[in-house]
Amino acid sequence: MSNFIRQWWRSRRFRHALKRGDTKLAKQIFKEIEEARAGFSLLEKQFRKQLQAEQDAKSRVHENVTLRQKLQHALHQVETLEKKQHSSTLASPKLNPDSGFINLIRNQFNIIERDRYTLQAMGIDEGVFGDFEHRLALFLKKELKKQNPQNLKLEIEKARQDLESGDPHYNLKLSSHLYLIKSFLDNVYCSYLAWFLIYQAGLLPQNPKILDIAAGPSTVAFSLNLLLRSGSQFLEDIQPHISYYSLEKQALLQFRGLQLWRQYIEPEERATNIYFRFKTTDFLKYEAQDKKIPQSFFDFIVVSHCFFSDSDRRSSANLAYKQIFKDALSPDGLVLLIVQGEKLFSLYEKPLNEDRRQEQDVIEKFLEDLGLKLTWYKYLTSSGQRQSVSSDFVEKNLPPQKYIHAFKTQYLKYQSPSHYTVEDYAILGSLADIPSIS
């Protein structure tokens, strides 16, 4: 029998198997067609795509199961420590602000206090941030090589559209990778400056207990670690350690941050002692969780860049935030809110501007909606003003992102060089009446 007739007969049997709904037989015959190395009909090509889609779905299920197991293992590792800390009634002493460390950061970051409420920063600690950015680039290169090249462009585009929406979901296959490329460094940079201000004000405990809501890949933990690395020569006899609790809906974001930490941060000789606890859940459903978050425990609760544009989601989030603050904050604990300047004003349908009275009205309303009272706030800016930074100013004055820019060019089609910039409010609030700190 000629090859042509054999192939025709296989195709005929294949079609009849599909018509009868006998998928198992159809797969057996299709395997014979593949092994014969003959051309595929339109029906057979479509069936091959279906098989590939089924295999991809199985792989994703397996990846999620493996991810859950690894996160549970990490949770178990820190369970004992958290119980010991929770049972202790002794508050951690505050780190005494060191003038040498403060001056070092101010010089390296080219910090200028424009006024009581405005801090301009135009630099970085090159030794710390340069090394961190390089490690991040190595991690991303390694992780992206694992992806199917044929699907990479489409998956990147879907994740990009989500990240650039008003209220991203971060729930796509490559959302975690794209967040690390697009936003991670800028958010670490901003959070680093906020922690510096907290340290400078004498409010940072030696062993801080931190709850990070909508934590992403643990951005807040990375930024505090970098600050402590910057001041390692001033903290040699203290050896701070951090208890960090991540509350995040997307397990892949949590896992990607843990991967980065374990592969490129934890092995460092000067790595900060930090104990992670992960809870993968939607914080908007906090009331339905039987309040499993440790109660009256945390020195700081942080909400960084998770404030919804949609009024209904924002209202639900504010209710959840207020309840979590009330339940989980220690009696003298503080809440750190980090929000992009234009985003904050847009929540109250106002344009970002230099009017201080309007600014304070917006911030007071923002805190009132969250059930908090103001301790202090700073607008962190690269330009020294509330308006957006011009590209000419950026290129002439701000430190470049030497390693991550290549990823932004390749995967996000960035045309201009990437730099470290900040245009965010760092707002510190409390549940009780604590005197404001200027």
Side-chain angles (χ1 to χ4, degrees), residues 347-373:
L347 298 180
Y348 300 98
E349 300 181 348
K350 297 181 184 298
L352 182 64
N353 59 71
E354 301 291 340
D355 186 333
R356 293 295 180 272
R357 183 178 295 276
Q358 185 180 92
E359 176 181 78
Q360 291 177 20
D361 288 344
V362 166
I363 289 174
E364 286 179 7
K365 176 60 176 171
F366 181 56
L367 289 167
E368 180 184 337
D369 290 344
L370 295 169
L372 298 173
K373 298 183 181 298

Side-chain angles (χ1 to χ4, degrees), residues 42 132 154:
L42 180 62
F132 175 63
L154 177 61

